[in-house]
Amino acid sequence: MSAGDEYHSLNSSDTTPNNQQPRSIDDFLDSAYRHGQSQIHYHSGPALTFFYILQRWQYHIVFLALGLANSGDSAEMGCTSYILSSSNFQHDILQDGNQDGGEVDFAKRGAAIASAHFGGMLVSGLLSGVLADVWGRRSTLLLGLTCNTIVGTLSAMARNATELCLLRFTCGLGLGMVISGVVTLSAEISPPSRRGRFMTLVASCYTLGFLYISLWAVIVFKGSGSGNWRLFMFVNVMPTIIAALLVTLFVPESPRFYLCRGRLREAVEISNLLAVRM
């Protein structure tokens, strides 16, 4: 695929657009990335180097958004482990009749709440790949982030175990869509020569989500488990909210998706947009 006359200079052999050989999206992105890196190294001096790196913030913020989305996924997966140990949560949700002295039902209510999102992820894992191929990687990712933003906020207001279990199952549906969108987008908009690096950076943010929620567990529950679990659930959804905003503003659709759907003009436009940002 040719990516436009303005990027013909990235071709290492031809000198006129008429002689330009068709290139794949991967070849074009790799050429654009090498061209951008050569401009940084060509302009010597810390100030100029910083200036050219700053010019490319719009490309790097794409992977920051994808990394935050990945962190939001892991935070949602890890939060139930902490709220189950909260005495206030046990009283509000797990205790029979919500009365003092009642039996705390870990075997049924606790287990159902802890595992509900895995059921949702199973269903979403089977369907989200198809959805990403039909509707788009970015759209699928945004749907998952929006779902988890709404469900995560509602989880903080759950009144009983049944409501929370249903909300956690729905959250699992969103988690599967986010995973599908993050993995596919990070692979398809990164240059092949640096694909492993970019994908590893995005994947490493999964661990940051667990660290984030662990820190807030220490702050909210104060080591005694008597903190406000509803506040904890609300704080837990913040990475997902921020990721949804960043994806909406900065992350484009995958040019490969447009190409596979026969929408060549959009594929060229997105490829050129990514090249400019590199």
Side-chain angles (χ1 to χ4, degrees):
M1 182 191 72
S2 175
D5 294 345
E6 64 269 34
Y7 291 104
H8 177 71
S9 59
L10 296 177
N11 196 312
S12 59
S13 57
D14 301 319
T15 56
T16 62
N18 293 331
N19 295 329
Q20 185 175 355
Q21 298 296 320
R23 289 177 288 176
S24 68
I25 292 175
D26 280 350
D27 289 340
F28 176 68
L29 292 179
D30 217 24
S31 297
Y33 186 82
R34 289 199 302 269
H35 179 75
Q37 291 299 107
S38 68
Q39 292 300 306
I40 293 176
H41 293 304
Y42 176 77
H43 297 275
S44 59
L48 286 175
T49 300
F50 176 76
F51 172 75
Y52 278 96
I53 292 176
L54 190 62
Q55 276 188 320
R56 287 156 179 80
W57 69 272
Q58 285 184 308
Y59 182 68
H60 293 95
I61 203 172
V62 169
F63 295 94
L64 172 63
L66 296 177
L68 274 176
N70 209 17
S71 296
D73 253 26
S74 60
E76 288 291 346
M77 290 183 66
C79 68
T80 51
S81 300
Y82 296 102
I83 61 173
L84 285 171
S85 62
S86 167
S87 58
N88 288 335
F89 177 80
Q90 294 168 16
H91 176 271
D92 294 342
I93 303 296
L94 299 184
Q95 210 167 69
D96 289 333
N98 291 346
Q99 298 190 9
D100 295 333
E103 183 180 356
V104 177
D105 187 3
F106 284 110
K108 294 180 180 179
R109 296 182 185 180
I113 292 170
S115 60
H117 66 278
F118 290 112
M121 289 179 68
L122 176 62
V123 175
S124 183
L126 296 173
L127 300 178
S128 59
V130 177
L131 183 62
D133 285 339
V134 174
W135 197 29
R137 289 80 157 106
R138 180 178 181 270
S139 299
T140 301
L141 173 58
L142 278 174
L143 179 60
L145 291 172
T146 303
C147 173
N148 286 347
T149 296
I150 296 172
V151 171
T153 303
L154 292 177
S155 294
M157 297 180 283
R159 295 169 296 180
N160 53 59
T162 302
E163 287 184 3
L164 187 56
C165 191
L166 290 174
L167 287 169
R168 299 313 297 167
F169 177 83
T170 308
C171 178
L173 298 177
L175 294 177
M177 288 185 281
V178 171
I179 292 173
S180 175
V182 165
V183 172
T184 311
L185 275 172
S186 60
E188 293 184 352
I189 65 177
S190 56
S193 62
R194 296 292 186 273
R195 184 163 292 157
R197 181 179 304 178
F198 282 112
M199 290 192 69
T200 301
L201 287 173
V202 172
S204 66
C205 292
Y206 194 79
T207 304
L208 291 179
F210 283 111
L211 293 175
Y212 167 82
I213 205 63
S214 299
L215 175 63
W216 275 107
V218 172
I219 295 173
V220 173
F221 297 130
K222 306 171 185 177
S224 63
S226 60
N228 189 336
W229 69 271
R230 298 185 187 277
L231 173 63
F232 177 77
M233 293 295 287
F234 181 75
V235 170
N236 178 68
V237 82
M238 293 307 296
T240 300
I241 295 175
I242 297 173
L245 292 174
L246 292 178
V247 170
T248 301
L249 293 174
F250 298 108
V251 178
E253 182 55 88
S254 166
R256 188 174 298 278
F257 165 74
Y258 286 132
L259 184 63
C260 292
R261 303 297 292 177
R263 299 163 62 178
L264 302 184
R265 181 178 296 276
E266 290 98 326
V268 171
E269 290 175 352
I270 295 299
S271 295
N272 285 335
L273 175 66
L274 291 170
V276 168
R277 293 178 177 182
M278 290 181 183

Short mmCIF file of all heavy atoms in Angstrom, two decimals, residues 44-103:
data_model
loop_
_atom_site.label_atom_id
_atom_site.label_comp_id
_atom_site.label_asym_id
_atom_site.label_seq_id
_atom_site.Cartn_x
_atom_site.Cartn_y
_atom_site.Cartn_z
N SER A 44 21.73 17.71 16.78
CA SER A 44 22.47 17.48 18.01
C SER A 44 22.14 18.55 19.05
O SER A 44 21.64 19.61 18.73
CB SER A 44 23.98 17.48 17.72
OG SER A 44 24.36 18.72 17.15
N GLY A 45 22.44 18.24 20.28
CA GLY A 45 22.20 19.18 21.37
C GLY A 45 20.99 18.76 22.18
O GLY A 45 19.98 18.35 21.61
N PRO A 46 21.09 18.85 23.50
CA PRO A 46 19.98 18.42 24.36
C PRO A 46 18.68 19.16 24.09
O PRO A 46 17.61 18.55 24.10
CB PRO A 46 20.50 18.71 25.77
CG PRO A 46 21.99 18.79 25.63
CD PRO A 46 22.25 19.32 24.25
N ALA A 47 18.77 20.46 23.85
CA ALA A 47 17.56 21.26 23.65
C ALA A 47 16.82 20.84 22.39
O ALA A 47 15.59 20.63 22.40
CB ALA A 47 17.90 22.74 23.59
N LEU A 48 17.56 20.68 21.29
CA LEU A 48 16.93 20.30 20.02
C LEU A 48 16.40 18.87 20.08
O LEU A 48 15.33 18.57 19.56
CB LEU A 48 17.93 20.43 18.88
CG LEU A 48 18.24 21.88 18.45
CD1 LEU A 48 19.35 21.90 17.40
CD2 LEU A 48 16.99 22.55 17.89
N THR A 49 17.16 17.98 20.73
CA THR A 49 16.70 16.59 20.86
C THR A 49 15.41 16.53 21.66
O THR A 49 14.46 15.82 21.29
CB THR A 49 17.78 15.73 21.55
OG1 THR A 49 18.97 15.76 20.77
CG2 THR A 49 17.31 14.30 21.72
N PHE A 50 15.34 17.30 22.75
CA PHE A 50 14.11 17.34 23.56
C PHE A 50 12.96 17.90 22.75
O PHE A 50 11.83 17.42 22.85
CB PHE A 50 14.35 18.21 24.80
CG PHE A 50 13.12 18.39 25.65
CD1 PHE A 50 12.68 17.36 26.48
CD2 PHE A 50 12.40 19.57 25.62
CE1 PHE A 50 11.55 17.52 27.25
CE2 PHE A 50 11.27 19.73 26.39
CZ PHE A 50 10.85 18.70 27.21
N PHE A 51 13.24 18.90 21.90
CA PHE A 51 12.20 19.51 21.08
C PHE A 51 11.59 18.49 20.12
O PHE A 51 10.37 18.39 19.98
CB PHE A 51 12.77 20.69 20.29
CG PHE A 51 11.82 21.26 19.28
CD1 PHE A 51 10.75 22.04 19.68
CD2 PHE A 51 11.98 21.01 17.92
CE1 PHE A 51 9.86 22.57 18.76
CE2 PHE A 51 11.09 21.53 16.99
CZ PHE A 51 10.03 22.31 17.41
N TYR A 52 12.43 17.70 19.48
CA TYR A 52 11.93 16.71 18.52
C TYR A 52 11.21 15.56 19.23
O TYR A 52 10.25 15.01 18.70
CB TYR A 52 13.07 16.18 17.65
CG TYR A 52 13.39 17.11 16.50
CD1 TYR A 52 14.41 18.04 16.60
CD2 TYR A 52 12.64 17.07 15.33
CE1 TYR A 52 14.70 18.91 15.55
CE2 TYR A 52 12.91 17.94 14.28
CZ TYR A 52 13.93 18.86 14.39
OH TYR A 52 14.20 19.71 13.37
N ILE A 53 11.66 15.20 20.40
CA ILE A 53 10.94 14.18 21.18
C ILE A 53 9.58 14.71 21.60
O ILE A 53 8.57 14.00 21.54
CB ILE A 53 11.77 13.75 22.40
CG1 ILE A 53 13.02 13.00 21.96
CG2 ILE A 53 10.94 12.88 23.34
CD1 ILE A 53 13.94 12.63 23.09
N LEU A 54 9.54 15.99 22.00
CA LEU A 54 8.28 16.60 22.42
C LEU A 54 7.29 16.66 21.26
O LEU A 54 6.08 16.52 21.47
CB LEU A 54 8.55 18.02 22.96
CG LEU A 54 7.39 18.72 23.67
CD1 LEU A 54 6.97 17.94 24.90
CD2 LEU A 54 7.78 20.14 24.04
N GLN A 55 7.81 16.84 20.04
CA GLN A 55 6.94 16.88 18.87
C GLN A 55 6.20 15.56 18.68
O GLN A 55 5.13 15.53 18.09
CB GLN A 55 7.76 17.19 17.61
CG GLN A 55 8.00 18.67 17.38
CD GLN A 55 8.64 18.90 16.02
OE1 GLN A 55 9.52 18.15 15.59
NE2 GLN A 55 8.21 19.94 15.34
N ARG A 56 6.78 14.48 19.18
CA ARG A 56 6.22 13.15 18.96
C ARG A 56 5.40 12.66 20.15
O ARG A 56 5.12 11.47 20.25
CB ARG A 56 7.34 12.17 18.64
CG ARG A 56 7.88 12.40 17.23
CD ARG A 56 9.31 11.91 17.05
NE ARG A 56 9.75 12.14 15.69
CZ ARG A 56 10.18 13.31 15.23
NH1 ARG A 56 10.22 14.36 16.04
NH2 ARG A 56 10.55 13.45 13.98
N TRP A 57 5.00 13.55 21.03
CA TRP A 57 4.24 13.14 22.21
C TRP A 57 2.89 12.55 21.83
O TRP A 57 2.38 11.67 22.52
CB TRP A 57 4.04 14.34 23.14
CG TRP A 57 3.11 15.40 22.60
CD1 TRP A 57 3.45 16.46 21.82
CD2 TRP A 57 1.69 15.48 22.80
NE1 TRP A 57 2.33 17.21 21.51
CE2 TRP A 57 1.24 16.63 22.10
CE3 TRP A 57 0.77 14.72 23.49
CZ2 TRP A 57 -0.08 17.03 22.07
CZ3 TRP A 57 -0.57 15.11 23.46
CH2 TRP A 57 -0.98 16.26 22.76
N GLN A 58 2.34 12.99 20.69
CA GLN A 58 1.03 12.47 20.29
C GLN A 58 1.09 10.99 19.91
O GLN A 58 0.08 10.30 20.00
CB GLN A 58 0.47 13.28 19.13
CG GLN A 58 -0.05 14.65 19.54
CD GLN A 58 -0.68 15.38 18.37
OE1 GLN A 58 -0.07 15.52 17.32
NE2 GLN A 58 -1.88 15.85 18.55
N TYR A 59 2.26 10.54 19.48
CA TYR A 59 2.39 9.11 19.17
C TYR A 59 2.59 8.30 20.44
O TYR A 59 1.97 7.26 20.63
CB TYR A 59 3.56 8.88 18.22
CG TYR A 59 3.74 7.43 17.82
CD1 TYR A 59 2.79 6.80 17.02
CD2 TYR A 59 4.84 6.70 18.24
CE1 TYR A 59 2.94 5.47 16.65
CE2 TYR A 59 4.99 5.38 17.88
CZ TYR A 59 4.05 4.77 17.08
OH TYR A 59 4.19 3.45 16.73
N HIS A 60 3.42 8.79 21.34
CA HIS A 60 3.71 8.05 22.56
C HIS A 60 2.53 8.04 23.53
O HIS A 60 2.38 7.11 24.31
CB HIS A 60 4.97 8.62 23.23
CG HIS A 60 6.22 8.39 22.43
ND1 HIS A 60 6.72 9.33 21.56
CD2 HIS A 60 7.05 7.32 22.34
CE1 HIS A 60 7.81 8.86 20.99
NE2 HIS A 60 8.03 7.65 21.43
N ILE A 61 1.71 9.08 23.47
CA ILE A 61 0.56 9.12 24.38
C ILE A 61 -0.47 8.05 23.99
O ILE A 61 -1.29 7.64 24.83
CB ILE A 61 -0.08 10.53 24.41
CG1 ILE A 61 -0.86 10.71 25.71
CG2 ILE A 61 -0.99 10.75 23.21
CD1 ILE A 61 -1.36 12.13 25.92
N VAL A 62 -0.43 7.59 22.74
CA VAL A 62 -1.29 6.49 22.33
C VAL A 62 -1.00 5.25 23.18
O VAL A 62 -1.91 4.58 23.68
CB VAL A 62 -1.08 6.17 20.83
CG1 VAL A 62 -1.77 4.86 20.46
CG2 VAL A 62 -1.62 7.30 19.97
N PHE A 63 0.27 4.96 23.37
CA PHE A 63 0.65 3.77 24.14
C PHE A 63 0.47 4.00 25.64
O PHE A 63 0.23 3.04 26.38
CB PHE A 63 2.09 3.37 23.80
CG PHE A 63 2.25 2.94 22.38
CD1 PHE A 63 2.64 3.84 21.40
CD2 PHE A 63 1.95 1.64 22.01
CE1 PHE A 63 2.76 3.44 20.09
CE2 PHE A 63 2.07 1.22 20.70
CZ PHE A 63 2.47 2.13 19.72
N LEU A 64 0.56 5.26 26.07
CA LEU A 64 0.23 5.57 27.46
C LEU A 64 -1.24 5.28 27.71
O LEU A 64 -1.60 4.68 28.75
CB LEU A 64 0.53 7.04 27.76
CG LEU A 64 0.05 7.56 29.12
CD1 LEU A 64 0.75 6.82 30.26
CD2 LEU A 64 0.28 9.07 29.23
N ALA A 65 -2.11 5.67 26.78
CA ALA A 65 -3.55 5.40 26.92
C ALA A 65 -3.83 3.90 26.94
O ALA A 65 -4.63 3.42 27.76
CB ALA A 65 -4.31 6.07 25.77
N LEU A 66 -3.17 3.15 26.06
CA LEU A 66 -3.37 1.71 26.03
C LEU A 66 -2.85 1.05 27.30
O LEU A 66 -3.44 0.11 27.83
CB LEU A 66 -2.68 1.11 24.80
CG LEU A 66 -3.22 1.56 23.44
CD1 LEU A 66 -2.40 0.96 22.30
CD2 LEU A 66 -4.68 1.19 23.28
N GLY A 67 -1.73 1.58 27.82
CA GLY A 67 -1.19 1.05 29.07
C GLY A 67 -2.11 1.31 30.25
O GLY A 67 -2.31 0.43 31.10
N LEU A 68 -2.71 2.50 30.29
CA LEU A 68 -3.65 2.82 31.36
C LEU A 68 -4.90 1.94 31.28
O LEU A 68 -5.45 1.53 32.31
CB LEU A 68 -4.04 4.29 31.30
CG LEU A 68 -3.12 5.28 32.02
CD1 LEU A 68 -3.58 6.71 31.77
CD2 LEU A 68 -3.08 5.00 33.51
N ALA A 69 -5.34 1.67 30.05
CA ALA A 69 -6.48 0.77 29.88
C ALA A 69 -6.15 -0.61 30.42
O ALA A 69 -6.98 -1.26 31.07
CB ALA A 69 -6.86 0.69 28.41
N ASN A 70 -4.93 -1.05 30.19
CA ASN A 70 -4.48 -2.35 30.71
C ASN A 70 -4.40 -2.33 32.23
O ASN A 70 -4.77 -3.30 32.90
CB ASN A 70 -3.12 -2.69 30.10
CG ASN A 70 -2.89 -4.18 29.98
OD1 ASN A 70 -3.81 -4.98 30.05
ND2 ASN A 70 -1.64 -4.56 29.81
N SER A 71 -3.95 -1.21 32.79
CA SER A 71 -3.90 -1.06 34.25
C SER A 71 -5.30 -1.09 34.85
O SER A 71 -5.51 -1.68 35.92
CB SER A 71 -3.20 0.25 34.63
OG SER A 71 -1.85 0.26 34.23
N GLY A 72 -6.24 -0.44 34.18
CA GLY A 72 -7.61 -0.46 34.66
C GLY A 72 -8.19 -1.85 34.69
O GLY A 72 -8.94 -2.21 35.60
N ASP A 73 -7.82 -2.67 33.69
CA ASP A 73 -8.27 -4.06 33.66
C ASP A 73 -7.77 -4.83 34.89
O ASP A 73 -8.54 -5.52 35.56
CB ASP A 73 -7.74 -4.75 32.39
CG ASP A 73 -8.85 -4.98 31.38
OD1 ASP A 73 -9.84 -4.22 31.41
OD2 ASP A 73 -8.73 -5.91 30.56
N SER A 74 -6.49 -4.72 35.17
CA SER A 74 -5.93 -5.47 36.30
C SER A 74 -6.45 -4.96 37.63
O SER A 74 -6.65 -5.73 38.58
CB SER A 74 -4.39 -5.41 36.27
OG SER A 74 -3.92 -4.08 36.36
N ALA A 75 -6.69 -3.64 37.72
CA ALA A 75 -7.26 -3.09 38.95
C ALA A 75 -8.65 -3.66 39.21
O ALA A 75 -8.99 -4.01 40.35
CB ALA A 75 -7.31 -1.56 38.87
N GLU A 76 -9.45 -3.76 38.15
CA GLU A 76 -10.79 -4.33 38.31
C GLU A 76 -10.73 -5.80 38.70
O GLU A 76 -11.54 -6.28 39.49
CB GLU A 76 -11.60 -4.17 37.02
CG GLU A 76 -12.05 -2.75 36.71
CD GLU A 76 -13.10 -2.27 37.69
OE1 GLU A 76 -13.67 -3.09 38.43
OE2 GLU A 76 -13.37 -1.05 37.73
N MET A 77 -9.76 -6.51 38.16
CA MET A 77 -9.63 -7.93 38.48
C MET A 77 -9.17 -8.16 39.92
O MET A 77 -9.55 -9.14 40.55
CB MET A 77 -8.65 -8.61 37.51
CG MET A 77 -9.17 -8.73 36.09
SD MET A 77 -8.01 -9.61 35.02
CE MET A 77 -8.05 -11.23 35.76
N GLY A 78 -8.35 -7.24 40.43
CA GLY A 78 -7.78 -7.45 41.76
C GLY A 78 -8.56 -6.86 42.91
O GLY A 78 -8.29 -7.19 44.07
N CYS A 79 -9.55 -6.02 42.63
CA CYS A 79 -10.21 -5.28 43.70
C CYS A 79 -11.02 -6.18 44.64
O CYS A 79 -11.12 -5.91 45.83
CB CYS A 79 -11.08 -4.18 43.12
SG CYS A 79 -12.53 -4.78 42.22
N THR A 80 -11.63 -7.25 44.11
CA THR A 80 -12.50 -8.07 44.95
C THR A 80 -11.74 -8.77 46.07
O THR A 80 -12.30 -9.03 47.14
CB THR A 80 -13.22 -9.14 44.10
OG1 THR A 80 -12.27 -9.84 43.30
CG2 THR A 80 -14.25 -8.49 43.19
N SER A 81 -10.47 -9.05 45.86
CA SER A 81 -9.67 -9.70 46.90
C SER A 81 -9.58 -8.82 48.15
O SER A 81 -9.55 -9.33 49.28
CB SER A 81 -8.26 -10.00 46.39
OG SER A 81 -8.30 -10.85 45.27
N TYR A 82 -9.56 -7.51 47.94
CA TYR A 82 -9.42 -6.59 49.06
C TYR A 82 -10.75 -6.30 49.74
O TYR A 82 -10.83 -6.24 50.97
CB TYR A 82 -8.78 -5.28 48.58
CG TYR A 82 -7.38 -5.47 48.08
CD1 TYR A 82 -7.09 -5.51 46.72
CD2 TYR A 82 -6.32 -5.63 48.97
CE1 TYR A 82 -5.80 -5.69 46.26
CE2 TYR A 82 -5.02 -5.81 48.52
CZ TYR A 82 -4.77 -5.85 47.17
OH TYR A 82 -3.49 -6.04 46.71
N ILE A 83 -11.82 -6.14 48.96
CA ILE A 83 -13.09 -5.80 49.60
C ILE A 83 -13.66 -6.99 50.38
O ILE A 83 -14.37 -6.80 51.37
CB ILE A 83 -14.13 -5.29 48.57
CG1 ILE A 83 -14.45 -6.36 47.53
CG2 ILE A 83 -13.64 -4.01 47.91
CD1 ILE A 83 -15.58 -5.97 46.58
N LEU A 84 -13.34 -8.21 49.96
CA LEU A 84 -13.83 -9.39 50.69
C LEU A 84 -13.25 -9.46 52.11
O LEU A 84 -13.87 -10.04 53.01
CB LEU A 84 -13.49 -10.67 49.93
CG LEU A 84 -14.33 -10.97 48.69
CD1 LEU A 84 -13.76 -12.15 47.92
CD2 LEU A 84 -15.78 -11.24 49.07
N SER A 85 -12.08 -8.86 52.29
CA SER A 85 -11.46 -8.88 53.62
C SER A 85 -11.90 -7.70 54.48
O SER A 85 -11.51 -7.60 55.65
CB SER A 85 -9.94 -8.87 53.48
OG SER A 85 -9.49 -7.69 52.84
N SER A 86 -12.71 -6.80 53.92
CA SER A 86 -13.17 -5.63 54.66
C SER A 86 -14.33 -6.01 55.58
O SER A 86 -15.33 -6.59 55.14
CB SER A 86 -13.61 -4.53 53.70
OG SER A 86 -14.32 -3.52 54.37
N SER A 87 -14.21 -5.67 56.83
CA SER A 87 -15.29 -5.97 57.79
C SER A 87 -16.56 -5.21 57.45
O SER A 87 -17.68 -5.72 57.63
CB SER A 87 -14.83 -5.63 59.21
OG SER A 87 -14.46 -4.26 59.30
N ASN A 88 -16.42 -3.99 56.93
CA ASN A 88 -17.60 -3.23 56.53
C ASN A 88 -18.30 -3.87 55.33
O ASN A 88 -19.53 -3.91 55.26
CB ASN A 88 -17.22 -1.79 56.19
CG ASN A 88 -16.86 -0.98 57.41
OD1 ASN A 88 -17.31 -1.29 58.52
ND2 ASN A 88 -16.04 0.05 57.24
N PHE A 89 -17.51 -4.38 54.40
CA PHE A 89 -18.09 -5.07 53.24
C PHE A 89 -18.80 -6.34 53.68
O PHE A 89 -19.89 -6.66 53.20
CB PHE A 89 -17.00 -5.39 52.22
CG PHE A 89 -17.49 -6.17 51.03
CD1 PHE A 89 -18.13 -5.53 49.99
CD2 PHE A 89 -17.31 -7.55 50.96
CE1 PHE A 89 -18.60 -6.24 48.88
CE2 PHE A 89 -17.77 -8.27 49.87
CZ PHE A 89 -18.42 -7.61 48.83
N GLN A 90 -18.19 -7.05 54.58
CA GLN A 90 -18.80 -8.28 55.09
C GLN A 90 -20.15 -7.98 55.75
O GLN A 90 -21.12 -8.72 55.59
CB GLN A 90 -17.85 -8.96 56.06
CG GLN A 90 -16.58 -9.49 55.41
CD GLN A 90 -15.53 -9.91 56.42
OE1 GLN A 90 -15.83 -10.09 57.61
NE2 GLN A 90 -14.30 -10.06 55.99
N HIS A 91 -20.19 -6.87 56.49
CA HIS A 91 -21.43 -6.49 57.16
C HIS A 91 -22.49 -6.04 56.15
O HIS A 91 -23.67 -6.39 56.26
CB HIS A 91 -21.17 -5.37 58.17
CG HIS A 91 -22.41 -4.86 58.84
ND1 HIS A 91 -23.15 -3.81 58.31
CD2 HIS A 91 -23.05 -5.24 59.97
CE1 HIS A 91 -24.18 -3.58 59.09
NE2 HIS A 91 -24.15 -4.42 60.11
N ASP A 92 -22.08 -5.26 55.14
CA ASP A 92 -23.03 -4.69 54.20
C ASP A 92 -23.53 -5.69 53.17
O ASP A 92 -24.70 -5.65 52.77
CB ASP A 92 -22.39 -3.50 53.47
CG ASP A 92 -22.09 -2.34 54.38
OD1 ASP A 92 -22.67 -2.29 55.49
OD2 ASP A 92 -21.26 -1.48 54.00
N ILE A 93 -22.67 -6.60 52.73
CA ILE A 93 -22.99 -7.44 51.58
C ILE A 93 -23.05 -8.94 51.91
O ILE A 93 -23.95 -9.65 51.47
CB ILE A 93 -21.97 -7.22 50.44
CG1 ILE A 93 -21.92 -5.74 50.04
CG2 ILE A 93 -22.28 -8.10 49.24
CD1 ILE A 93 -23.22 -5.21 49.45
N LEU A 94 -22.12 -9.42 52.72
CA LEU A 94 -22.00 -10.86 52.92
C LEU A 94 -22.77 -11.39 54.11
O LEU A 94 -23.05 -12.59 54.19
CB LEU A 94 -20.52 -11.24 53.08
CG LEU A 94 -19.58 -10.93 51.91
CD1 LEU A 94 -18.18 -11.45 52.21
CD2 LEU A 94 -20.12 -11.53 50.61
N GLN A 95 -23.12 -10.52 55.04
CA GLN A 95 -23.77 -10.99 56.26
C GLN A 95 -25.25 -11.22 56.04
O GLN A 95 -25.93 -10.43 55.38
CB GLN A 95 -23.56 -9.96 57.37
CG GLN A 95 -23.51 -10.55 58.77
CD GLN A 95 -22.99 -9.51 59.76
OE1 GLN A 95 -23.67 -8.54 60.05
NE2 GLN A 95 -21.80 -9.73 60.27
N ASP A 96 -25.76 -12.31 56.57
CA ASP A 96 -27.18 -12.62 56.45
C ASP A 96 -28.03 -11.55 57.13
O ASP A 96 -27.87 -11.28 58.32
CB ASP A 96 -27.49 -13.98 57.11
CG ASP A 96 -26.93 -15.14 56.31
OD1 ASP A 96 -26.78 -14.99 55.09
OD2 ASP A 96 -26.64 -16.19 56.91
N GLY A 97 -28.89 -10.94 56.34
CA GLY A 97 -29.79 -9.93 56.90
C GLY A 97 -29.11 -8.61 57.20
O GLY A 97 -29.73 -7.71 57.72
N ASN A 98 -27.81 -8.50 56.89
CA ASN A 98 -27.04 -7.28 57.17
C ASN A 98 -27.14 -6.85 58.63
O ASN A 98 -27.12 -5.67 58.96
CB ASN A 98 -27.51 -6.11 56.29
CG ASN A 98 -27.14 -6.33 54.82
OD1 ASN A 98 -26.33 -7.20 54.50
ND2 ASN A 98 -27.74 -5.53 53.95
N GLN A 99 -27.24 -7.82 59.52
CA GLN A 99 -27.36 -7.48 60.93
C GLN A 99 -26.15 -7.98 61.70
O GLN A 99 -25.54 -8.99 61.35
CB GLN A 99 -28.64 -8.09 61.50
CG GLN A 99 -29.91 -7.57 60.83
CD GLN A 99 -31.17 -7.98 61.55
OE1 GLN A 99 -31.10 -8.52 62.66
NE2 GLN A 99 -32.29 -7.70 60.95
N ASP A 100 -25.86 -7.25 62.77
CA ASP A 100 -24.72 -7.63 63.60
C ASP A 100 -24.94 -9.03 64.18
O ASP A 100 -26.03 -9.38 64.64
CB ASP A 100 -24.53 -6.62 64.74
CG ASP A 100 -24.15 -5.24 64.22
OD1 ASP A 100 -23.56 -5.18 63.13
OD2 ASP A 100 -24.46 -4.24 64.91
N GLY A 101 -23.89 -9.81 64.15
CA GLY A 101 -23.96 -11.15 64.69
C GLY A 101 -24.39 -12.20 63.69
O GLY A 101 -24.36 -13.40 64.00
N GLY A 102 -24.81 -11.76 62.49
CA GLY A 102 -25.21 -12.70 61.46
C GLY A 102 -24.00 -13.40 60.86
O GLY A 102 -22.87 -12.92 60.94
N GLU A 103 -24.25 -14.54 60.26
CA GLU A 103 -23.17 -15.32 59.68
C GLU A 103 -22.70 -14.68 58.36
O GLU A 103 -23.51 -14.31 57.52
CB GLU A 103 -23.64 -16.75 59.41
CG GLU A 103 -22.54 -17.65 58.87
CD GLU A 103 -23.04 -19.06 58.63
OE1 GLU A 103 -24.21 -19.34 58.97
OE2 GLU A 103 -22.25 -19.87 58.11
#
